[in-house]
């Protein structure tokens, strides 16, 4: 068995993703493909437009053999932690190759950037840029460009930043994994408008959230095999889920939480908790809150992550412990017959417990106790994320919690 891994969000799965899977098989000559996928909330701190089980089923229907959930503790994080969580999880599964997309799939240049970041001079320049208030991506690109001479525009694109972080994580955590890069085709990462059969996830999400229907333009950018699944989700109003649905509960949380508790939320530093606390009293909705707090240093994306962590009660100490441990389990979301072969292989050769039945490790009663193991604590945040996410469904009939304790992985034939 030769196993290729992909780290993704599939928010939602589209033709570009299907092309990536096909090219991953060709480029790595693998027998099986496993995807490590974000759960109910994604790296930018937004709610996924459709739930994690549905997105996993779409991926398996479109060429992935097995989908494993990237724990919330790593999924809703900046690029370096997102990448490290995905790489460490794939390594524990026994993955041979990682295939990722980049704006320019030049492994020589990407590897040079990844190596440069490990040099003390680069790290010092990066820290200095962060202290000056530059966003993570800008600070990283400036530091690496200064040391390597690589063009800043090469380093600044989101896919290239993630690619560099994947390579850094491979060097640190999984040198046995062979990287393979694929050039991103046609649609730029942040493209706002669908302009053909290959469109950005950003453009597709925007169209879905605006039109609330699968029109001809949207369906042209999606694999035909998932259209009936998407149509059913939308007919039943089980999506798309919009982040603004959580605005009132976030304002309620921020208006009632203590300053000390607020200071312990991940990514809050330099007295930001005071500004957030004051702004929560002025703001009447989520957009107003972000506009009041946003700055050059605290980007919208960072504030969105802070918001989700605030709602779930994640603390800085939680994430320090999770980062030290790495992913502690492999939570199965969906698989096909070839994915079943991978699961058997993982049971025999993998280094992590496979979770197909959550209640074997955690249930709603145990979740509320204090003496949780590190695995149970990490899993707690995945389940809490689902309970929160359910409140965003347009149809109130789907808003009950506890689904993680009831739902089994999907086995697609």
């Amino acid at each position: 068995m030769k196993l290729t891994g992909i780290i993704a969000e599939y928010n939602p799965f589209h033709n570009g993703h299907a092309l990536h899977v096909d090219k991953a098989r060709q480029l790595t000559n693998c027998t099986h493909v496993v995807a490590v996928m974000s759960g109910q909330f994604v790296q930018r701190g937004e709610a996924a437009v459709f739930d994690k089980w549905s997105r996993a089923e779409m991926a398996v229907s479109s060429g992935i053999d097995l989908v494993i959930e990237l724990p919330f503790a790593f999924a809703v994080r900046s690029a370096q932690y997102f990448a490290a969580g995905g790489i460490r999880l794939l390594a524990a599964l026994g993955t041979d190759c990682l295939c990722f997309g980049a704006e320019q799939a030049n492994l020589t240049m990407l590897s040079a950037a990844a190596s440069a970041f490990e040099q003390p001079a680069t790290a010092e320049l990066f820290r200095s840029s962060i202290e000056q208030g530059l966003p993570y991506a800008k600070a990283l690109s400036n530091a690496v460009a200064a040391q390597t001479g690589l063009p800043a525009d090469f380093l600044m694109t989101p896919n290239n930043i993630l690619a560099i972080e994947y390579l850094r994580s491979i060097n640190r955590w999984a040198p046995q994994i062979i990287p393979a890069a694929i050039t991103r085709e046609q649609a730029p990462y942040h493209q706002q408008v669908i302009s053909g059969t290959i469109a950005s996830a950003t453009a597709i999400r925007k169209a879905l959230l605006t039109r609330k229907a699968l029109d001809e333009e949207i369906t042209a950018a999606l694999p035909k095999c998932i259209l009936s699944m998407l149509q059913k989700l939308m007919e039943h109003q089980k999506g798309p889920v919009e982040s603004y649905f959580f605005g009132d509960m976030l304002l309620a949380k921020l208006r009632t939480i203590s300053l000390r508790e607020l200071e312990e939320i991940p990514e809050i530093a330099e007295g930001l908790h005071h500004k957030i606390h004051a702004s929560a009293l002025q703001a009447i909705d989520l957009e107003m809150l972000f506009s009041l707090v946003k700055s050059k240093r605290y980007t919208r994306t960072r504030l969105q992550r802070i918001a989700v962590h605030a709602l779930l009660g994640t603390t800085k100490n939680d994430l320090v412990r999770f980062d030290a441990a790495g992913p502690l389990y492999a939570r199965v979301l969906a698989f096909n017959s070839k994915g079943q072969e991978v699961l058997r292989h993982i049971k025999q050769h993998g280094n992590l417990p496979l979770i197909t039945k959550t209640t074997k490790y955690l249930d709603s009663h145990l979740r509320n106790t204090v003496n949780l193991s590190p695995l149970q604590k990490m899993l707690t945040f995945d389940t809490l994320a689902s309970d929160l996410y359910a409140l965003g469904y347009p149809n109130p009939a789907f808003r009950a919690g506890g689904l993680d304790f009831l739902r089994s992985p999907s086995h697609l034939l």
Side-chain angles (χ1 to χ4, degrees), residues 25-49:
R25 290 186 184 276
Q26 297 168 17
L27 189 60
T28 64
N29 196 31
C30 64
T31 58
H32 301 73
V33 178
V34 58
V36 167
M37 187 191 78
S38 300
Q40 309 289 37
F41 292 87
V42 296
Q43 198 235 339
R44 290 175 56 83
E46 297 172 327
V49 285

PDB file of all heavy atoms in Angstrom, residues 25-49:
ATOM      1  N   ARG A  25      -2.922  11.352  -7.375  1.00  0.00           N
ATOM      2  CA  ARG A  25      -2.745   9.921  -7.678  1.00  0.00           C
ATOM      3  C   ARG A  25      -1.685   9.732  -8.769  1.00  0.00           C
ATOM      4  O   ARG A  25      -0.820   8.857  -8.677  1.00  0.00           O
ATOM      5  CB  ARG A  25      -4.073   9.317  -8.126  1.00  0.00           C
ATOM      6  CG  ARG A  25      -5.114   9.201  -7.014  1.00  0.00           C
ATOM      7  CD  ARG A  25      -6.347   8.454  -7.503  1.00  0.00           C
ATOM      8  NE  ARG A  25      -7.393   8.418  -6.487  1.00  0.00           N
ATOM      9  CZ  ARG A  25      -7.447   7.528  -5.503  1.00  0.00           C
ATOM     10  NH1 ARG A  25      -6.503   6.617  -5.398  1.00  0.00           N
ATOM     11  NH2 ARG A  25      -8.428   7.554  -4.622  1.00  0.00           N
ATOM     12  N   GLN A  26      -1.752  10.569  -9.793  1.00  0.00           N
ATOM     13  CA  GLN A  26      -0.802  10.446 -10.902  1.00  0.00           C
ATOM     14  C   GLN A  26       0.623  10.800 -10.469  1.00  0.00           C
ATOM     15  O   GLN A  26       1.581  10.080 -10.783  1.00  0.00           O
ATOM     16  CB  GLN A  26      -1.228  11.357 -12.048  1.00  0.00           C
ATOM     17  CG  GLN A  26      -2.574  11.013 -12.667  1.00  0.00           C
ATOM     18  CD  GLN A  26      -3.077  12.103 -13.592  1.00  0.00           C
ATOM     19  OE1 GLN A  26      -2.328  12.975 -14.033  1.00  0.00           O
ATOM     20  NE2 GLN A  26      -4.378  12.075 -13.904  1.00  0.00           N
ATOM     21  N   LEU A  27       0.755  11.886  -9.743  1.00  0.00           N
ATOM     22  CA  LEU A  27       2.080  12.395  -9.383  1.00  0.00           C
ATOM     23  C   LEU A  27       2.798  11.484  -8.397  1.00  0.00           C
ATOM     24  O   LEU A  27       4.016  11.302  -8.487  1.00  0.00           O
ATOM     25  CB  LEU A  27       1.944  13.804  -8.800  1.00  0.00           C
ATOM     26  CG  LEU A  27       3.226  14.604  -8.561  1.00  0.00           C
ATOM     27  CD1 LEU A  27       3.978  14.807  -9.867  1.00  0.00           C
ATOM     28  CD2 LEU A  27       2.888  15.952  -7.937  1.00  0.00           C
ATOM     29  N   THR A  28       2.056  10.919  -7.453  1.00  0.00           N
ATOM     30  CA  THR A  28       2.699  10.102  -6.415  1.00  0.00           C
ATOM     31  C   THR A  28       2.617   8.608  -6.699  1.00  0.00           C
ATOM     32  O   THR A  28       3.219   7.815  -5.979  1.00  0.00           O
ATOM     33  CB  THR A  28       2.048  10.378  -5.047  1.00  0.00           C
ATOM     34  OG1 THR A  28       0.665   9.957  -5.074  1.00  0.00           O
ATOM     35  CG2 THR A  28       2.117  11.863  -4.695  1.00  0.00           C
ATOM     36  N   ASN A  29       1.833   8.235  -7.724  1.00  0.00           N
ATOM     37  CA  ASN A  29       1.672   6.816  -8.064  1.00  0.00           C
ATOM     38  C   ASN A  29       1.218   6.008  -6.852  1.00  0.00           C
ATOM     39  O   ASN A  29       1.712   4.904  -6.586  1.00  0.00           O
ATOM     40  CB  ASN A  29       2.983   6.240  -8.621  1.00  0.00           C
ATOM     41  CG  ASN A  29       2.766   4.909  -9.332  1.00  0.00           C
ATOM     42  OD1 ASN A  29       1.710   4.655  -9.907  1.00  0.00           O
ATOM     43  ND2 ASN A  29       3.765   4.043  -9.273  1.00  0.00           N
ATOM     44  N   CYS A  30       0.267   6.558  -6.125  1.00  0.00           N
ATOM     45  CA  CYS A  30      -0.193   5.914  -4.891  1.00  0.00           C
ATOM     46  C   CYS A  30      -1.322   4.933  -5.180  1.00  0.00           C
ATOM     47  O   CYS A  30      -1.928   4.935  -6.255  1.00  0.00           O
ATOM     48  CB  CYS A  30      -0.671   6.967  -3.901  1.00  0.00           C
ATOM     49  SG  CYS A  30      -2.113   7.905  -4.472  1.00  0.00           S
ATOM     50  N   THR A  31      -1.612   4.103  -4.184  1.00  0.00           N
ATOM     51  CA  THR A  31      -2.733   3.170  -4.282  1.00  0.00           C
ATOM     52  C   THR A  31      -3.977   3.693  -3.568  1.00  0.00           C
ATOM     53  O   THR A  31      -5.093   3.313  -3.900  1.00  0.00           O
ATOM     54  CB  THR A  31      -2.348   1.810  -3.673  1.00  0.00           C
ATOM     55  OG1 THR A  31      -1.962   1.999  -2.300  1.00  0.00           O
ATOM     56  CG2 THR A  31      -1.202   1.173  -4.446  1.00  0.00           C
ATOM     57  N   HIS A  32      -3.778   4.561  -2.561  1.00  0.00           N
ATOM     58  CA  HIS A  32      -4.885   5.067  -1.752  1.00  0.00           C
ATOM     59  C   HIS A  32      -4.635   6.533  -1.402  1.00  0.00           C
ATOM     60  O   HIS A  32      -3.480   6.955  -1.271  1.00  0.00           O
ATOM     61  CB  HIS A  32      -5.029   4.271  -0.447  1.00  0.00           C
ATOM     62  CG  HIS A  32      -5.281   2.801  -0.651  1.00  0.00           C
ATOM     63  ND1 HIS A  32      -4.283   1.932  -1.077  1.00  0.00           N
ATOM     64  CD2 HIS A  32      -6.410   2.050  -0.476  1.00  0.00           C
ATOM     65  CE1 HIS A  32      -4.786   0.704  -1.160  1.00  0.00           C
ATOM     66  NE2 HIS A  32      -6.065   0.753  -0.808  1.00  0.00           N
ATOM     67  N   VAL A  33      -5.732   7.285  -1.232  1.00  0.00           N
ATOM     68  CA  VAL A  33      -5.634   8.699  -0.856  1.00  0.00           C
ATOM     69  C   VAL A  33      -6.469   8.947   0.398  1.00  0.00           C
ATOM     70  O   VAL A  33      -7.650   8.593   0.453  1.00  0.00           O
ATOM     71  CB  VAL A  33      -6.129   9.625  -1.989  1.00  0.00           C
ATOM     72  CG1 VAL A  33      -6.061  11.086  -1.537  1.00  0.00           C
ATOM     73  CG2 VAL A  33      -5.297   9.431  -3.246  1.00  0.00           C
ATOM     74  N   VAL A  34      -5.848   9.553   1.403  1.00  0.00           N
ATOM     75  CA  VAL A  34      -6.547   9.921   2.630  1.00  0.00           C
ATOM     76  C   VAL A  34      -6.521  11.432   2.764  1.00  0.00           C
ATOM     77  O   VAL A  34      -5.504  12.079   2.485  1.00  0.00           O
ATOM     78  CB  VAL A  34      -5.913   9.251   3.879  1.00  0.00           C
ATOM     79  CG1 VAL A  34      -4.442   9.617   4.016  1.00  0.00           C
ATOM     80  CG2 VAL A  34      -6.674   9.631   5.142  1.00  0.00           C
ATOM     81  N   ALA A  35      -7.637  12.011   3.155  1.00  0.00           N
ATOM     82  CA  ALA A  35      -7.716  13.453   3.388  1.00  0.00           C
ATOM     83  C   ALA A  35      -7.878  13.711   4.879  1.00  0.00           C
ATOM     84  O   ALA A  35      -8.712  13.093   5.540  1.00  0.00           O
ATOM     85  CB  ALA A  35      -8.889  14.069   2.630  1.00  0.00           C
ATOM     86  N   VAL A  36      -7.063  14.617   5.401  1.00  0.00           N
ATOM     87  CA  VAL A  36      -7.258  15.149   6.746  1.00  0.00           C
ATOM     88  C   VAL A  36      -7.993  16.471   6.560  1.00  0.00           C
ATOM     89  O   VAL A  36      -7.471  17.394   5.923  1.00  0.00           O
ATOM     90  CB  VAL A  36      -5.910  15.351   7.462  1.00  0.00           C
ATOM     91  CG1 VAL A  36      -6.090  16.191   8.709  1.00  0.00           C
ATOM     92  CG2 VAL A  36      -5.297  14.005   7.810  1.00  0.00           C
ATOM     93  N   MET A  37      -9.218  16.555   7.089  1.00  0.00           N
ATOM     94  CA  MET A  37     -10.108  17.670   6.775  1.00  0.00           C
ATOM     95  C   MET A  37     -10.572  18.391   8.031  1.00  0.00           C
ATOM     96  O   MET A  37     -10.873  17.759   9.045  1.00  0.00           O
ATOM     97  CB  MET A  37     -11.330  17.130   6.010  1.00  0.00           C
ATOM     98  CG  MET A  37     -12.266  18.192   5.465  1.00  0.00           C
ATOM     99  SD  MET A  37     -13.828  17.476   4.853  1.00  0.00           S
ATOM    100  CE  MET A  37     -14.699  17.213   6.416  1.00  0.00           C
ATOM    101  N   SER A  38     -10.631  19.714   7.956  1.00  0.00           N
ATOM    102  CA  SER A  38     -11.177  20.517   9.050  1.00  0.00           C
ATOM    103  C   SER A  38     -12.605  20.091   9.350  1.00  0.00           C
ATOM    104  O   SER A  38     -13.341  19.640   8.465  1.00  0.00           O
ATOM    105  CB  SER A  38     -11.168  22.001   8.681  1.00  0.00           C
ATOM    106  OG  SER A  38      -9.868  22.449   8.416  1.00  0.00           O
ATOM    107  N   GLY A  39     -13.011  20.287  10.602  1.00  0.00           N
ATOM    108  CA  GLY A  39     -14.353  19.902  11.025  1.00  0.00           C
ATOM    109  C   GLY A  39     -15.381  20.995  10.755  1.00  0.00           C
ATOM    110  O   GLY A  39     -15.478  21.533   9.661  1.00  0.00           O
ATOM    111  N   GLN A  40     -16.130  21.357  11.792  1.00  0.00           N
ATOM    112  CA  GLN A  40     -17.254  22.275  11.607  1.00  0.00           C
ATOM    113  C   GLN A  40     -16.821  23.729  11.409  1.00  0.00           C
ATOM    114  O   GLN A  40     -17.568  24.526  10.849  1.00  0.00           O
ATOM    115  CB  GLN A  40     -18.199  22.187  12.817  1.00  0.00           C
ATOM    116  CG  GLN A  40     -18.622  20.768  13.200  1.00  0.00           C
ATOM    117  CD  GLN A  40     -19.570  20.136  12.199  1.00  0.00           C
ATOM    118  OE1 GLN A  40     -19.442  20.330  10.987  1.00  0.00           O
ATOM    119  NE2 GLN A  40     -20.517  19.357  12.680  1.00  0.00           N
ATOM    120  N   PHE A  41     -15.636  24.077  11.891  1.00  0.00           N
ATOM    121  CA  PHE A  41     -15.110  25.432  11.698  1.00  0.00           C
ATOM    122  C   PHE A  41     -13.759  25.322  11.006  1.00  0.00           C
ATOM    123  O   PHE A  41     -13.009  24.379  11.236  1.00  0.00           O
ATOM    124  CB  PHE A  41     -14.984  26.165  13.038  1.00  0.00           C
ATOM    125  CG  PHE A  41     -16.314  26.473  13.672  1.00  0.00           C
ATOM    126  CD1 PHE A  41     -16.939  25.546  14.500  1.00  0.00           C
ATOM    127  CD2 PHE A  41     -16.965  27.669  13.415  1.00  0.00           C
ATOM    128  CE1 PHE A  41     -18.175  25.809  15.070  1.00  0.00           C
ATOM    129  CE2 PHE A  41     -18.202  27.949  13.978  1.00  0.00           C
ATOM    130  CZ  PHE A  41     -18.818  27.009  14.809  1.00  0.00           C
ATOM    131  N   VAL A  42     -13.462  26.293  10.157  1.00  0.00           N
ATOM    132  CA  VAL A  42     -12.272  26.199   9.309  1.00  0.00           C
ATOM    133  C   VAL A  42     -11.185  27.155   9.794  1.00  0.00           C
ATOM    134  O   VAL A  42     -11.373  27.910  10.741  1.00  0.00           O
ATOM    135  CB  VAL A  42     -12.636  26.463   7.835  1.00  0.00           C
ATOM    136  CG1 VAL A  42     -13.591  25.381   7.324  1.00  0.00           C
ATOM    137  CG2 VAL A  42     -13.259  27.851   7.657  1.00  0.00           C
ATOM    138  N   GLN A  43     -10.057  27.118   9.100  1.00  0.00           N
ATOM    139  CA  GLN A  43      -8.862  27.806   9.562  1.00  0.00           C
ATOM    140  C   GLN A  43      -9.046  29.310   9.719  1.00  0.00           C
ATOM    141  O   GLN A  43      -8.464  29.923  10.614  1.00  0.00           O
ATOM    142  CB  GLN A  43      -7.707  27.516   8.592  1.00  0.00           C
ATOM    143  CG  GLN A  43      -6.334  27.812   9.167  1.00  0.00           C
ATOM    144  CD  GLN A  43      -5.530  28.765   8.306  1.00  0.00           C
ATOM    145  OE1 GLN A  43      -5.786  28.937   7.120  1.00  0.00           O
ATOM    146  NE2 GLN A  43      -4.557  29.417   8.906  1.00  0.00           N
ATOM    147  N   ARG A  44      -9.868  29.917   8.900  1.00  0.00           N
ATOM    148  CA  ARG A  44     -10.100  31.359   8.971  1.00  0.00           C
ATOM    149  C   ARG A  44     -11.054  31.753  10.097  1.00  0.00           C
ATOM    150  O   ARG A  44     -11.401  32.916  10.249  1.00  0.00           O
ATOM    151  CB  ARG A  44     -10.653  31.873   7.636  1.00  0.00           C
ATOM    152  CG  ARG A  44      -9.642  31.842   6.503  1.00  0.00           C
ATOM    153  CD  ARG A  44     -10.283  32.240   5.169  1.00  0.00           C
ATOM    154  NE  ARG A  44     -10.916  33.560   5.234  1.00  0.00           N
ATOM    155  CZ  ARG A  44     -10.271  34.717   5.086  1.00  0.00           C
ATOM    156  NH1 ARG A  44      -8.967  34.709   4.880  1.00  0.00           N
ATOM    157  NH2 ARG A  44     -10.916  35.858   5.145  1.00  0.00           N
ATOM    158  N   GLY A  45     -11.498  30.774  10.887  1.00  0.00           N
ATOM    159  CA  GLY A  45     -12.402  31.080  11.985  1.00  0.00           C
ATOM    160  C   GLY A  45     -13.849  31.212  11.568  1.00  0.00           C
ATOM    161  O   GLY A  45     -14.673  31.762  12.307  1.00  0.00           O
ATOM    162  N   GLU A  46     -14.181  30.717  10.394  1.00  0.00           N
ATOM    163  CA  GLU A  46     -15.560  30.762   9.898  1.00  0.00           C
ATOM    164  C   GLU A  46     -16.220  29.390  10.052  1.00  0.00           C
ATOM    165  O   GLU A  46     -15.542  28.357  10.077  1.00  0.00           O
ATOM    166  CB  GLU A  46     -15.576  31.169   8.427  1.00  0.00           C
ATOM    167  CG  GLU A  46     -15.042  32.563   8.171  1.00  0.00           C
ATOM    168  CD  GLU A  46     -14.889  32.884   6.696  1.00  0.00           C
ATOM    169  OE1 GLU A  46     -14.589  31.971   5.912  1.00  0.00           O
ATOM    170  OE2 GLU A  46     -15.073  34.052   6.339  1.00  0.00           O
ATOM    171  N   ALA A  47     -17.546  29.402  10.136  1.00  0.00           N
ATOM    172  CA  ALA A  47     -18.281  28.143  10.092  1.00  0.00           C
ATOM    173  C   ALA A  47     -18.218  27.587   8.675  1.00  0.00           C
ATOM    174  O   ALA A  47     -18.355  28.327   7.702  1.00  0.00           O
ATOM    175  CB  ALA A  47     -19.738  28.374  10.501  1.00  0.00           C
ATOM    176  N   ALA A  48     -17.980  26.286   8.551  1.00  0.00           N
ATOM    177  CA  ALA A  48     -18.025  25.658   7.231  1.00  0.00           C
ATOM    178  C   ALA A  48     -19.442  25.777   6.678  1.00  0.00           C
ATOM    179  O   ALA A  48     -20.422  25.727   7.427  1.00  0.00           O
ATOM    180  CB  ALA A  48     -17.617  24.193   7.337  1.00  0.00           C
ATOM    181  N   VAL A  49     -19.572  25.917   5.363  1.00  0.00           N
ATOM    182  CA  VAL A  49     -20.907  26.128   4.785  1.00  0.00           C
ATOM    183  C   VAL A  49     -21.795  24.892   4.930  1.00  0.00           C
ATOM    184  O   VAL A  49     -23.017  25.009   5.008  1.00  0.00           O
ATOM    185  CB  VAL A  49     -20.839  26.567   3.303  1.00  0.00           C
ATOM    186  CG1 VAL A  49     -20.412  28.004   3.193  1.00  0.00           C
ATOM    187  CG2 VAL A  49     -19.945  25.667   2.491  1.00  0.00           C
TER     188      VAL A  49
END
